[in-house]
Amino acid sequence: MSTSKLMPAAVALFTLGVVAIIAMFVVGERGLPAWVFAAGWLLAPAGLALGVVSAVRDARRPRRR
């Protein structure tokens, strides 16, 4: 079974978003620049959505014999 090229990108986006969210909780809201907040709240959902799209595309792809 081959995986699409979207899935590694989705995992990377999601991971970066989660790391940014964890950094927000560890450092606190006053110690980080605004781009960390934007990364946390935009990258994690974008990575999750891209992963779902990739999984659905792979599931719907006709299988070759």
Side-chain angles (χ1 to χ4, degrees):
M1 183 172 140
S2 69
T3 125
S4 76
K5 297 182 190 225
L6 288 178
M7 191 58 78
V11 170
L13 283 175
F14 186 76
T15 302
L16 288 173
V18 169
V19 166
I21 291 171
I22 291 171
M24 282 188 259
F25 284 110
V26 169
V27 174
E29 70 179 50
R30 297 190 190 249
L32 295 172
W35 64 267
V36 175
F37 290 99
W41 299 117
L42 294 175
L43 291 179
L48 181 63
L50 190 60
V52 169
V53 167
S54 174
V56 169
R57 276 185 61 193
D58 284 347
R60 296 190 60 147
R61 185 176 300 159
R63 300 185 186 229
R64 297 180 187 166
R65 290 189 175 221

